[in-house]
Amino acid sequence: MGILSKIKSLFVESQKRPFNQFCSDYLKIKAELAVSDVNVSGKETNFKVMWRGSVVPFWVSSKYQVSDIVSVIAAGLAFGLNLVEISQELKNYGLA
């Protein structure tokens, strides 16, 4: 299942949760995320994301700002996706 399908199904499932609760979860998660080792080279940017004891590398196109990608990561985590899965799906989806 692709990332868009997963997010869609998670969004439908999340309708059982109040929107303000999702926003609260999203903001808490975004505040907990830390980014390190940012490297921009040519058409690719890579960096590490640290969250709750996990460190996961990300590779994205240089046309995207790291701060925007961190917002996407936080939203995915708030929907219940795994950090490693988010990294792989962003790369597979063509953001790399």
Side-chain angles (χ1 to χ4, degrees):
M1 177 185 294
I3 186 102
L4 293 180
S5 298
K6 287 180 183 179
I7 289 176
K8 183 178 178 182
S9 67
L10 290 168
F11 179 76
V12 169
E13 185 65 28
S14 73
Q15 294 301 305
K16 299 173 185 171
R17 174 171 65 161
F19 181 70
N20 61 343
Q21 182 62 49
F22 170 80
C23 291
S24 175
D25 293 346
Y26 165 79
L27 292 173
K28 287 176 189 173
I29 290 168
K30 190 168 180 190
E32 292 175 6
L33 290 173
V35 176
S36 70
D37 302 330
V38 177
N39 180 27
V40 180
S41 60
K43 295 182 178 182
E44 185 176 84
T45 299
N46 60 68
F47 54 92
K48 294 178 183 174
V49 173
M50 293 157 281
W51 185 63
R52 296 186 179 171
S54 296
V55 179
V56 177
F58 279 77
W59 293 269
V60 296
S61 170
S62 292
K63 67 182 177 180
Y64 298 102
Q65 297 289 322
V66 172
S67 59
D68 295 339
I69 297 298
V70 171
S71 294
V72 170
I73 294 167
L77 291 168
F79 275 123
L81 295 173
N82 177 290
L83 191 59
V84 172
E85 182 179 40
I86 295 169
S87 174
Q88 292 169 347
E89 291 291 344
L90 287 176
K91 189 169 184 177
N92 293 340
Y93 185 66
L95 292 181

